[in-house]
Amino acid sequence: MNTQQFTIESSEVAWKTLPLEGGGEVRLQMYLKGADDGPEAIHARISEGYEVEPHFHLAAQFQLLLEGSMEFPVFRLDAPAVHYTEHNVPYGPFKVSGGHSMLVLHTKPGGVIMMRDKERRRQANTRGREFTCCAHEVEWEPLPGHDGARRKVLIPASRGPSVEILECPPGMRFAAEAPTYGRYEVVLTGTASADGKQLGPKGLRFVAAGEQASALTCGAQGATLIVLTFDRDAEKNYGGSTEEMLARMEQ
């Protein structure tokens, strides 16, 4: 699989604005559309104060909060932060504030099912895993093998899926082993180049299962990277398509 097609520079992706039920709107960039049962990645900005109703996705998911806050019934996320759910695990409602910006990341098409759908909510995976962490909750530690670099481990690999924030000096080359189930590498600040393409803030690369990707090289000002690695729950396709759901919203 060629990772070139999965290297996305945010400034090159068109925006789409869609109305939301009950008022408000969401601005979207469809980074990856889940073509051929492949990865699905969306950059979303939801209007200030909007409350998103309870729902779930038909795929393992990372919500990566880049800016702003998300208030859930029993926890709050302040950027940068991560929220992981296994396939079909329901969550919400949550209210956004502070200039909300997030990435929604799947290895396969995810779609969305609202919990108010009495028939389809029977598919909910109420025993599945859900992990959350804000960067401010974790201390920095040295990044092994890289002088002058440090990391925050938001979700340790011992839990299955994992998330790390890496603060990298100029010119550092980040190269990880081939993932077993898929991995996203996101630029939070600074720049990095990969596969002949430069990525700025909110740019990303998806590395498919078993793919040995080339190194990410940090730019002249360094870069802060967020590395999100899936586990076995991302191996299967449980149906659904976010692109199709968005098309219905436009009708």
Coordinates of all heavy atoms in Angstrom, one line a residue, residues 66-158:
L66 N -8.0 19.1 19.0 CA -6.9 20.0 18.6 C -7.0 21.4 19.3 O -6.0 22.0 19.6 CB -6.7 20.1 17.1 CG -6.6 18.8 16.3 CD1 -6.6 19.1 14.8 CD2 -5.3 18.2 16.7
E67 N -8.2 21.9 19.4 CA -8.5 23.2 19.9 C -9.8 23.2 20.7 O -10.7 22.5 20.3 CB -8.5 24.3 18.8 CG -7.2 24.4 18.0 CD -7.4 25.4 16.8 OE1 -8.4 26.0 16.7 OE2 -6.5 25.4 16.0
G68 N -9.9 24.0 21.7 CA -11.2 24.2 22.4 C -11.4 23.1 23.5 O -10.5 22.4 23.9
S69 N -12.7 22.9 23.8 CA -13.1 22.0 24.9 C -14.3 21.2 24.5 O -15.1 21.6 23.6 CB -13.3 22.7 26.2 OG -12.2 23.4 26.6
M70 N -14.5 20.0 25.1 CA -15.6 19.2 24.9 C -16.1 18.7 26.3 O -15.3 18.1 27.0 CB -15.3 18.0 24.0 CG -14.9 18.4 22.6 SD -14.1 17.0 21.7 CE -15.4 15.8 21.6
E71 N -17.3 19.1 26.7 CA -17.8 18.8 28.0 C -18.8 17.6 27.9 O -19.9 17.7 27.3 CB -18.6 20.0 28.6 CG -19.0 19.8 30.0 CD -17.9 20.1 31.0 OE1 -17.0 21.0 30.8 OE2 -17.9 19.3 32.0
F72 N -18.4 16.5 28.5 CA -19.2 15.3 28.6 C -19.9 15.2 29.9 O -19.6 16.0 30.8 CB -18.4 14.0 28.4 CG -17.8 13.9 27.0 CD1 -16.7 14.6 26.6 CD2 -18.4 12.9 26.1 CE1 -16.2 14.5 25.3 CE2 -17.9 12.8 24.8 CZ -16.8 13.5 24.4
P73 N -20.9 14.3 30.1 CA -21.6 14.3 31.4 C -20.7 14.0 32.6 O -20.9 14.5 33.7 CB -22.6 13.1 31.2 CG -22.9 13.1 29.7 CD -21.6 13.5 29.1
V74 N -19.6 13.2 32.4 CA -18.8 12.8 33.6 C -17.3 13.2 33.4 O -16.5 12.8 34.2 CB -18.9 11.3 33.9 CG1 -20.3 11.0 34.3 CG2 -18.5 10.4 32.7
F75 N -16.9 13.8 32.3 CA -15.6 14.2 32.1 C -15.5 15.4 31.1 O -16.5 15.7 30.4 CB -14.6 13.1 31.7 CG -15.0 12.5 30.3 CD1 -14.5 13.0 29.1 CD2 -15.8 11.4 30.2 CE1 -14.8 12.5 27.9 CE2 -16.1 10.8 29.0 CZ -15.6 11.4 27.8
R76 N -14.4 16.1 31.1 CA -14.2 17.2 30.2 C -12.8 17.1 29.5 O -11.8 16.6 30.1 CB -14.2 18.5 31.0 CG -13.9 19.8 30.2 CD -13.7 21.0 31.2 NE -13.2 22.2 30.5 CZ -14.0 23.1 30.0 NH1 -15.3 23.1 30.1 NH2 -13.4 24.2 29.4
L77 N -12.8 17.4 28.2 CA -11.6 17.4 27.5 C -11.2 18.8 27.1 O -12.0 19.6 26.6 CB -11.7 16.6 26.2 CG -12.1 15.1 26.3 CD1 -12.2 14.4 24.9 CD2 -11.0 14.3 27.1
D78 N -9.9 19.1 27.4 CA -9.3 20.4 27.0 C -8.1 20.1 26.1 O -7.3 19.4 26.5 CB -8.9 21.2 28.2 CG -10.1 21.6 29.1 OD1 -11.0 22.2 28.6 OD2 -10.1 21.2 30.3
A79 N -8.1 20.8 25.0 CA -7.1 20.5 23.9 C -5.7 20.8 24.4 O -5.5 21.8 25.2 CB -7.4 21.3 22.7
P80 N -4.7 20.0 23.9 CA -4.9 18.8 23.1 C -5.3 17.6 24.0 O -4.8 17.5 25.1 CB -3.5 18.6 22.5 CG -2.6 19.2 23.4 CD -3.3 20.4 24.0
A81 N -6.2 16.8 23.5 CA -6.7 15.7 24.3 C -7.2 14.6 23.3 O -7.4 14.9 22.1 CB -7.9 16.2 25.1
V82 N -7.4 13.4 23.8 CA -7.9 12.3 23.0 C -9.0 11.6 23.7 O -9.1 11.5 24.9 CB -6.7 11.4 22.7 CG1 -6.2 10.7 24.0 CG2 -7.0 10.3 21.6
H83 N -9.9 11.0 22.9 CA -11.0 10.2 23.3 C -11.1 9.0 22.4 O -11.3 9.2 21.2 CB -12.3 11.0 23.2 CG -13.6 10.3 23.6 ND1 -14.7 10.4 22.9 CD2 -13.8 9.4 24.5 CE1 -15.7 9.6 23.4 NE2 -15.1 9.0 24.4
Y84 N -10.9 7.8 22.9 CA -10.9 6.6 22.2 C -12.1 5.8 22.5 O -12.5 5.6 23.7 CB -9.7 5.7 22.4 CG -9.7 4.4 21.8 CD1 -9.4 4.1 20.5 CD2 -10.2 3.3 22.6 CE1 -9.5 2.9 19.9 CE2 -10.3 2.0 22.0 CZ -10.0 1.8 20.7 OH -10.1 0.6 20.1
T85 N -12.8 5.2 21.5 CA -13.9 4.2 21.7 C -13.7 3.1 20.7 O -13.3 3.2 19.6 CB -15.2 4.9 21.4 OG1 -15.2 5.6 20.1 CG2 -15.6 5.8 22.5
E86 N -14.0 1.9 21.2 CA -14.1 0.7 20.4 C -15.3 0.9 19.4 O -16.2 1.7 19.7 CB -14.3 -0.6 21.2 CG -13.0 -1.1 21.8 CD -13.3 -2.5 22.4 OE1 -14.4 -3.0 22.5 OE2 -12.3 -3.2 22.7
H87 N -15.4 0.0 18.4 CA -16.5 0.0 17.5 C -17.8 -0.1 18.3 O -18.0 -0.8 19.3 CB -16.5 -1.1 16.5 CG -16.8 -2.5 17.1 ND1 -15.9 -3.2 17.9 CD2 -18.0 -3.2 17.1 CE1 -16.5 -4.3 18.3 NE2 -17.8 -4.3 17.8
N88 N -18.8 0.7 17.9 CA -20.2 0.7 18.4 C -20.3 1.1 19.9 O -21.4 0.9 20.5 CB -20.8 -0.7 18.3 CG -21.0 -1.0 16.8 OD1 -20.3 -0.6 15.9 ND2 -22.1 -1.8 16.5
V89 N -19.3 1.7 20.5 CA -19.4 2.2 21.9 C -20.1 3.5 21.9 O -19.5 4.5 21.3 CB -18.0 2.2 22.6 CG1 -18.1 3.0 23.9 CG2 -17.4 0.8 22.8
P90 N -21.2 3.7 22.5 CA -21.9 4.9 22.5 C -21.3 6.0 23.5 O -20.7 5.6 24.5 CB -23.3 4.6 23.0 CG -23.1 3.3 23.8 CD -22.0 2.6 23.2
Y91 N -21.4 7.2 23.1 CA -20.8 8.3 24.0 C -21.7 9.6 23.7 O -22.4 9.7 22.7 CB -19.4 8.5 23.7 CG -19.0 9.0 22.3 CD1 -18.9 10.3 22.0 CD2 -18.7 8.0 21.4 CE1 -18.5 10.7 20.7 CE2 -18.3 8.4 20.1 CZ -18.2 9.7 19.8 OH -17.9 10.1 18.5
G92 N -21.5 10.5 24.6 CA -22.3 11.8 24.5 C -23.4 11.7 25.5 O -23.7 10.7 26.1
P93 N -24.1 12.9 25.5 CA -23.9 14.1 24.7 C -22.6 14.8 25.2 O -22.1 14.6 26.3 CB -25.1 14.9 25.0 CG -25.5 14.5 26.4 CD -25.2 13.1 26.5
F94 N -22.1 15.7 24.3 CA -21.1 16.6 24.7 C -21.3 17.9 24.1 O -21.9 18.0 23.0 CB -19.7 16.0 24.3 CG -19.4 15.8 22.8 CD1 -19.0 16.9 22.0 CD2 -19.6 14.6 22.2 CE1 -18.7 16.7 20.7 CE2 -19.4 14.4 20.8 CZ -18.9 15.5 20.1
K95 N -20.8 18.9 24.8 CA -21.0 20.3 24.4 C -19.6 20.9 24.1 O -18.7 20.7 24.8 CB -21.7 21.2 25.4 CG -22.0 22.6 25.0 CD -22.7 23.4 26.1 CE -24.2 22.9 26.1 NZ -25.0 23.8 27.0
V96 N -19.5 21.6 22.9 CA -18.2 22.2 22.5 C -18.1 23.6 22.9 O -19.1 24.4 22.9 CB -18.0 22.0 21.0 CG1 -18.1 20.5 20.6 CG2 -18.9 22.8 20.2
S97 N -16.9 24.1 23.1 CA -16.6 25.5 23.4 C -15.2 25.8 23.1 O -14.4 24.9 22.9 CB -17.0 25.8 24.9 OG -16.1 25.0 25.7
G98 N -14.9 27.1 23.1 CA -13.5 27.6 23.0 C -12.9 27.5 21.7 O -11.6 27.3 21.6
G99 N -13.7 27.5 20.6 CA -13.1 27.4 19.3 C -12.8 26.0 18.9 O -11.7 25.7 18.5
H100 N -13.8 25.1 19.0 CA -13.6 23.7 18.9 C -13.0 23.3 17.5 O -13.4 23.8 16.5 CB -15.0 23.0 19.0 CG -15.0 21.6 18.7 ND1 -15.4 21.1 17.4 CD2 -14.8 20.5 19.4 CE1 -15.3 19.8 17.4 NE2 -15.0 19.4 18.6
S101 N -12.1 22.4 17.6 CA -11.5 21.8 16.4 C -11.0 20.4 16.7 O -10.3 20.2 17.7 CB -10.3 22.6 15.9 OG -9.6 21.9 14.9
M102 N -11.5 19.4 15.9 CA -11.1 18.0 16.3 C -10.9 17.2 15.0 O -11.4 17.5 13.9 CB -12.1 17.3 17.2 CG -13.4 16.9 16.5 SD -14.5 16.0 17.6 CE -16.0 15.9 16.5
L103 N -10.1 16.1 15.1 CA -10.0 15.1 14.1 C -10.7 13.9 14.5 O -10.6 13.4 15.7 CB -8.5 14.8 13.8 CG -7.6 15.9 13.2 CD1 -6.2 15.4 13.1 CD2 -8.1 16.2 11.8
V104 N -11.5 13.3 13.6 CA -12.1 12.0 13.8 C -11.5 11.0 12.9 O -11.5 11.1 11.7 CB -13.6 12.1 13.5 CG1 -14.3 10.8 13.8 CG2 -14.3 13.2 14.4
L105 N -10.9 9.9 13.6 CA -10.0 9.0 12.9 C -10.4 7.6 13.0 O -10.5 7.1 14.1 CB -8.5 9.2 13.4 CG -8.0 10.6 13.5 CD1 -6.7 10.7 14.2 CD2 -7.8 11.2 12.1
H106 N -10.5 6.9 11.8 CA -10.9 5.5 11.7 C -9.9 4.8 10.8 O -9.4 5.5 9.8 CB -12.3 5.3 11.2 CG -13.4 6.0 11.9 ND1 -14.4 6.6 11.2 CD2 -13.6 6.2 13.2 CE1 -15.2 7.2 12.1 NE2 -14.8 6.9 13.3
T107 N -9.7 3.5 11.0 CA -8.9 2.8 10.0 C -9.8 2.3 8.8 O -9.3 2.0 7.8 CB -8.2 1.6 10.6 OG1 -9.2 0.7 11.1 CG2 -7.3 2.0 11.7
K108 N -11.1 2.2 9.1 CA -12.0 1.8 8.1 C -13.3 2.6 8.2 O -13.5 3.3 9.2 CB -12.4 0.3 8.4 CG -11.2 -0.7 8.2 CD -11.6 -2.1 8.4 CE -10.5 -3.1 8.3 NZ -9.9 -3.0 6.9
P109 N -14.2 2.6 7.2 CA -15.3 3.5 7.2 C -16.2 3.2 8.5 O -16.4 2.1 8.9 CB -16.1 3.0 6.0 CG -15.1 2.5 5.1 CD -14.1 1.9 5.9
G110 N -16.6 4.3 9.2 CA -17.2 4.2 10.5 C -18.7 4.5 10.5 O -19.5 3.9 11.2
G111 N -19.1 5.5 9.7 CA -20.5 5.9 9.8 C -20.9 6.4 11.2 O -20.1 6.6 12.0
V112 N -22.2 6.6 11.4 CA -22.7 7.1 12.7 C -24.1 6.6 12.9 O -24.9 6.6 12.0 CB -22.6 8.6 12.8 CG1 -23.4 9.3 11.8 CG2 -23.0 9.1 14.2
I113 N -24.4 6.2 14.2 CA -25.7 5.7 14.6 C -26.1 6.5 15.8 O -25.4 6.6 16.8 CB -25.7 4.2 14.9 CG1 -25.2 3.4 13.8 CG2 -27.2 3.8 15.3 CD1 -26.0 3.4 12.5
M114 N -27.3 7.2 15.7 CA -27.8 8.0 16.8 C -28.5 7.1 17.8 O -29.2 6.2 17.4 CB -28.7 9.1 16.3 CG -28.1 10.1 15.4 SD -26.7 10.9 16.2 CE -26.1 12.0 14.9
M115 N -28.3 7.3 19.1 CA -28.9 6.5 20.1 C -30.4 6.7 20.2 O -31.1 5.9 20.7 CB -28.3 6.8 21.5 CG -26.9 6.2 21.6 SD -26.8 4.4 21.5 CE -27.5 4.0 23.1
R116 N -30.9 7.8 19.6 CA -32.4 7.9 19.5 C -33.0 7.0 18.5 O -34.3 6.9 18.5 CB -32.7 9.4 19.2 CG -32.2 10.0 17.9 CD -32.6 11.4 17.8 NE -31.7 12.2 16.9 CZ -31.9 12.3 15.6 NH1 -32.8 11.7 15.0 NH2 -31.0 13.0 14.9
D117 N -32.2 6.4 17.7 CA -32.7 5.4 16.7 C -33.0 4.1 17.5 O -32.1 3.3 17.7 CB -31.7 5.2 15.6 CG -32.2 4.3 14.5 OD1 -33.1 3.4 14.8 OD2 -31.8 4.4 13.3
K118 N -34.2 3.8 17.8 CA -34.6 2.7 18.7 C -34.2 1.4 18.1 O -33.9 0.4 18.9 CB -36.0 2.8 19.1 CG -36.4 4.0 20.0 CD -37.8 4.0 20.4 CE -38.2 5.2 21.2 NZ -39.6 5.2 21.6
E119 N -34.3 1.3 16.8 CA -33.9 0.0 16.2 C -32.4 -0.2 16.1 O -31.9 -1.3 16.6 CB -34.6 0.0 14.8 CG -34.3 -1.4 14.1 CD -35.0 -2.5 14.7 OE1 -36.1 -2.3 15.4 OE2 -34.5 -3.7 14.6
R120 N -31.7 0.7 15.6 CA -30.3 0.5 15.4 C -29.4 0.6 16.6 O -28.3 0.1 16.7 CB -29.8 1.5 14.3 CG -30.5 1.3 12.9 CD -29.7 1.8 11.8 NE -28.5 1.0 11.6 CZ -27.5 1.4 10.7 NH1 -27.6 2.5 10.0 NH2 -26.4 0.6 10.6
R121 N -30.0 1.3 17.7 CA -29.2 1.4 18.9 C -29.0 0.1 19.6 O -28.2 -0.1 20.5 CB -29.8 2.4 19.8 CG -31.1 2.0 20.5 CD -31.6 3.1 21.4 NE -32.8 2.7 22.1 CZ -33.6 3.6 22.8 NH1 -33.3 4.9 22.7 NH2 -34.7 3.2 23.4
R122 N -29.7 -1.0 19.1 CA -29.5 -2.3 19.7 C -28.1 -2.8 19.3 O -27.6 -3.8 19.9 CB -30.5 -3.3 19.1 CG -32.0 -2.9 19.5 CD -33.0 -3.9 18.9 NE -34.3 -3.6 19.2 CZ -35.4 -4.2 18.7 NH1 -35.2 -5.2 17.8 NH2 -36.6 -3.8 19.0
Q123 N -27.5 -2.2 18.4 CA -26.1 -2.6 18.0 C -25.0 -2.0 18.9 O -23.9 -2.3 18.8 CB -25.8 -2.1 16.6 CG -26.7 -2.6 15.5 CD -26.4 -2.0 14.1 OE1 -27.1 -1.1 13.7 NE2 -25.2 -2.3 13.5
A124 N -25.4 -1.2 19.9 CA -24.5 -0.5 20.8 C -23.7 -1.5 21.5 O -24.2 -2.6 22.0 CB -25.2 0.4 21.7
N125 N -22.4 -1.3 21.6 CA -21.4 -2.1 22.3 C -21.2 -1.5 23.7 O -20.2 -0.8 23.9 CB -20.1 -2.2 21.5 CG -19.0 -3.0 22.2 OD1 -19.2 -3.7 23.1 ND2 -17.8 -2.8 21.6
T126 N -22.0 -1.8 24.6 CA -22.0 -1.2 25.9 C -20.9 -1.7 26.8 O -20.7 -1.1 27.9 CB -23.4 -1.3 26.7 OG1 -23.7 -2.7 26.8 CG2 -24.5 -0.7 25.9
R127 N -20.2 -2.8 26.4 CA -19.1 -3.3 27.2 C -17.8 -3.0 26.6 O -16.7 -3.5 27.1 CB -19.3 -4.8 27.4 CG -20.5 -5.2 28.2 CD -20.6 -6.7 28.5 NE -21.8 -7.0 29.3 CZ -22.0 -8.3 29.7 NH1 -21.2 -9.3 29.4 NH2 -23.1 -8.5 30.4
G128 N -17.7 -2.2 25.5 CA -16.5 -1.9 24.9 C -15.7 -0.9 25.6 O -16.1 -0.2 26.6
R129 N -14.4 -0.8 25.2 CA -13.5 0.1 25.9 C -13.7 1.6 25.5 O -14.0 1.9 24.3 CB -12.0 -0.3 25.6 CG -11.7 -1.7 26.1 CD -10.4 -2.1 25.5 NE -10.4 -2.3 24.1 CZ -9.4 -2.4 23.3 NH1 -8.2 -2.5 23.8 NH2 -9.6 -2.5 22.0
E130 N -13.4 2.5 26.4 CA -13.4 3.9 26.2 C -12.3 4.5 27.1 O -12.3 4.3 28.3 CB -14.8 4.5 26.6 CG -14.9 6.0 26.4 CD -16.2 6.6 26.7 OE1 -17.0 5.9 27.3 OE2 -16.5 7.7 26.3
F131 N -11.4 5.3 26.4 CA -10.3 5.9 27.1 C -10.3 7.4 26.8 O -10.6 7.8 25.6 CB -9.0 5.3 26.7 CG -8.8 3.8 26.9 CD1 -8.4 3.0 25.8 CD2 -9.2 3.2 28.1 CE1 -8.3 1.6 26.0 CE2 -9.1 1.8 28.3 CZ -8.6 1.0 27.2
T132 N -9.9 8.2 27.8 CA -9.8 9.6 27.5 C -8.5 10.1 28.3 O -8.1 9.6 29.3 CB -11.0 10.4 28.0 OG1 -11.0 10.3 29.5 CG2 -12.3 9.9 27.5
C133 N -7.9 11.2 27.7 CA -6.8 11.9 28.4 C -6.6 13.2 27.8 O -6.6 13.4 26.6 CB -5.5 11.0 28.3 SG -4.2 11.6 29.3
C134 N -6.3 14.2 28.7 CA -5.9 15.5 28.3 C -4.4 15.6 28.5 O -3.8 15.1 29.4 CB -6.5 16.6 29.1 SG -8.3 16.6 29.0
A135 N -3.7 16.4 27.6 CA -2.2 16.5 27.7 C -1.8 17.1 29.0 O -0.8 16.8 29.6 CB -1.7 17.3 26.5
H136 N -2.6 18.0 29.6 CA -2.2 18.7 30.8 C -2.3 17.7 32.0 O -1.7 18.1 33.1 CB -3.1 19.9 31.1 CG -4.6 19.6 31.4 ND1 -4.9 19.1 32.7 CD2 -5.7 19.6 30.7 CE1 -6.2 18.9 32.7 NE2 -6.7 19.2 31.5
E137 N -2.8 16.5 31.8 CA -2.9 15.6 32.9 C -1.6 14.7 33.0 O -1.4 13.9 34.0 CB -4.1 14.6 32.7 CG -5.4 15.3 32.7 CD -6.6 14.4 32.3 OE1 -6.3 13.3 31.7 OE2 -7.7 14.7 32.6
V138 N -0.7 14.9 32.0 CA 0.5 14.0 31.9 C 1.7 14.8 31.9 O 1.8 15.9 31.3 CB 0.4 13.1 30.6 CG1 1.5 12.2 30.5 CG2 -1.0 12.4 30.5
E139 N 2.8 14.3 32.6 CA 4.1 14.9 32.6 C 4.9 14.6 31.4 O 4.8 13.5 30.8 CB 4.8 14.5 33.9 CG 4.2 15.0 35.2 CD 4.1 16.5 35.3 OE1 5.0 17.2 34.8 OE2 3.1 17.0 35.9
W140 N 5.8 15.5 31.0 CA 6.7 15.2 29.9 C 7.8 14.2 30.4 O 8.2 14.2 31.6 CB 7.5 16.4 29.5 CG 6.6 17.4 28.7 CD1 6.1 18.6 29.2 CD2 6.2 17.3 27.3 NE1 5.4 19.2 28.2 CE2 5.4 18.4 27.0 CE3 6.4 16.3 26.3 CZ2 4.9 18.6 25.8 CZ3 5.8 16.5 25.1 CH2 5.1 17.7 24.8
E141 N 8.3 13.4 29.5 CA 9.4 12.5 29.8 C 10.3 12.4 28.5 O 9.9 12.7 27.4 CB 8.9 11.1 30.1 CG 8.1 10.4 29.0 CD 7.6 9.0 29.4 OE1 6.8 9.0 30.4 OE2 7.9 8.1 28.7
P142 N 11.6 12.1 28.7 CA 12.5 12.0 27.5 C 11.9 11.0 26.5 O 11.4 10.0 26.9 CB 13.8 11.5 28.1 CG 13.7 11.9 29.5 CD 12.3 11.8 30.0
L143 N 12.1 11.3 25.2 CA 11.8 10.4 24.1 C 12.9 9.5 23.9 O 14.0 9.9 23.4 CB 11.4 11.1 22.9 CG 11.0 10.3 21.7 CD1 9.8 9.4 22.0 CD2 10.8 11.2 20.4
P144 N 12.8 8.2 24.2 CA 13.9 7.3 24.0 C 14.5 7.3 22.6 O 13.8 7.3 21.6 CB 13.3 5.9 24.3 CG 12.1 6.2 25.2 CD 11.6 7.5 24.7
G145 N 15.8 7.4 22.5 CA 16.5 7.3 21.2 C 16.6 8.6 20.5 O 17.2 8.6 19.4
H146 N 16.1 9.7 21.1 CA 16.2 11.0 20.4 C 16.6 12.1 21.4 O 15.8 12.6 22.2 CB 14.8 11.3 19.8 CG 14.3 10.4 18.7 ND1 14.8 10.5 17.4 CD2 13.5 9.3 18.8 CE1 14.2 9.5 16.7 NE2 13.5 8.8 17.5
D147 N 17.8 12.5 21.3 CA 18.3 13.6 22.1 C 17.5 14.9 21.9 O 17.3 15.3 20.7 CB 19.8 13.9 21.9 CG 20.7 12.7 22.3 OD1 20.2 11.9 23.2 OD2 21.8 12.6 21.8
G148 N 17.2 15.6 22.9 CA 16.5 16.9 22.8 C 15.0 16.7 22.6 O 14.3 17.8 22.4
A149 N 14.5 15.5 22.5 CA 13.0 15.3 22.2 C 12.4 14.8 23.5 O 13.0 14.1 24.4 CB 12.8 14.3 21.1
R150 N 11.1 15.0 23.7 CA 10.4 14.5 24.8 C 9.0 14.1 24.4 O 8.5 14.4 23.3 CB 10.3 15.6 25.9 CG 9.7 16.9 25.6 CD 9.7 17.9 26.7 NE 9.0 19.1 26.4 CZ 8.7 20.0 27.4 NH1 9.1 19.9 28.6 NH2 8.0 21.1 27.0
R151 N 8.3 13.4 25.3 CA 7.0 12.9 24.9 C 6.0 12.9 26.2 O 6.5 13.0 27.3 CB 7.0 11.5 24.4 CG 7.4 10.4 25.5 CD 7.4 9.0 25.0 NE 7.8 8.1 26.0 CZ 7.9 6.8 25.8 NH1 7.6 6.2 24.6 NH2 8.3 6.0 26.8
K152 N 4.7 12.9 25.8 CA 3.7 12.6 26.8 C 2.9 11.4 26.3 O 2.5 11.4 25.2 CB 2.7 13.8 27.0 CG 3.3 15.0 27.7 CD 2.3 16.1 28.0 CE 2.9 17.2 28.8 NZ 1.8 18.2 29.3
V153 N 2.8 10.4 27.2 CA 2.0 9.2 26.9 C 0.6 9.4 27.4 O 0.3 9.3 28.6 CB 2.6 8.0 27.5 CG1 1.8 6.7 27.1 CG2 4.1 7.8 27.0
L154 N -0.3 9.7 26.5 CA -1.7 9.9 26.8 C -2.5 8.6 27.1 O -3.3 8.5 28.0 CB -2.5 10.8 25.8 CG -2.3 12.3 26.0 CD1 -0.9 12.7 25.9 CD2 -3.2 13.0 24.9
I155 N -2.2 7.6 26.2 CA -2.8 6.3 26.4 C -1.6 5.3 26.2 O -1.1 5.2 25.1 CB -3.9 6.0 25.4 CG1 -5.1 7.0 25.5 CG2 -4.4 4.5 25.6 CD1 -6.2 6.8 24.5
P156 N -1.2 4.6 27.2 CA -0.1 3.6 27.1 C -0.5 2.4 26.2 O -1.6 2.0 26.2 CB 0.2 3.2 28.5 CG -1.1 3.4 29.2 CD -1.8 4.6 28.6
A157 N 0.5 1.9 25.5 CA 0.3 0.7 24.7 C -0.2 -0.5 25.4 O -0.9 -1.4 24.9 CB 1.6 0.3 24.0
S158 N 0.0 -0.5 26.7 CA -0.5 -1.7 27.6 C -2.1 -1.7 27.5 O -2.6 -2.8 27.9 CB 0.0 -1.5 29.0 OG -0.5 -0.3 29.6

